Amino acid sequence: MCIGCHGIPGYQNSFPEIHKVPKISGQSDKYIVSALTAYKKGDRKHPSMRGIAGSLTEQDMADLAAFYTAQGDQPADETPKAANVAAAALIEKGACASCHGANFSKPIDPSYPKIGGQHADYLFVALKAYTVEGNNVVGRANPIMAGVAKQFKPAEMREIAKYLATLDGELKTVPQSRFR
């Protein structure tokens, strides 16, 4: 089922608002398992992903993670592009590099996502999801990211996401054959 969305370049999701499906090829295996586990537990509340993750065993998650991690064959540029003044100030305020790495593709913990080169609209929706509380359908339960995201206005989140999307990262969408 994963390739039905994550294997189509530019494919868009319409919940909770229209945004590109995230690039997962090249993410770390620990992050993919962590994200799927969060969907399964309900800490991430995207209804489609929660339904899919709910049907997966731990071994299924490990196998999917190994598959998508193996597709990340291009190393990220070690030095990020210079951000414009506004984006640089916002990234500094959020201390984004302290967890996601100086180039936003080498997180300090492999269960954290690589965000350099990810789709801007997806990053914006993800950031906003950390600010949602008490909603059974939308939101992400991560106290660290909630604290970071809640200090920004939506326009500032867009500015951060726009900059991160311009970086040369390891993430990509790898089209898959429908017939395997």
Side-chain angles (χ1 to χ4, degrees), residues 93-171:
K93 178 181 175 182
C96 305
S98 66
C99 290
H100 297 283
N103 66 354
F104 306 100
S105 288
K106 299 278 185 252
I108 63 165
D109 184 301
S111 67
Y112 298 170
K114 297 173 184 179
I115 56 176
Q118 184 60 270
H119 299 298
D121 53 356
Y122 168 75
L123 289 171
F124 172 68
V125 168
L127 276 170
K128 280 193 344 184
Y130 290 112
T131 67
V132 176
E133 296 178 14
N135 187 313
N136 292 331
V137 184
V138 178
R140 293 185 177 192
N142 179 310
I144 294 170
M145 279 303 302
V148 171
K150 287 178 181 176
Q151 64 184 323
F152 297 113
K153 297 175 183 148
E156 293 171 323
M157 290 180 196
R158 280 192 197 282
E159 186 69 31
I160 292 168
K162 189 170 93 178
Y163 166 68
L164 292 171
T166 68
L167 301 177
D168 295 325
E170 299 171 14
L171 303 176

Side-chain angles (χ1 to χ4, degrees), residues 12 16 18 24 36 53 62 89 129 134 164-165 173 175:
Q12 294 186 321
I18 296 173
I24 60 173
L36 289 170
L164 292 171
T173 300

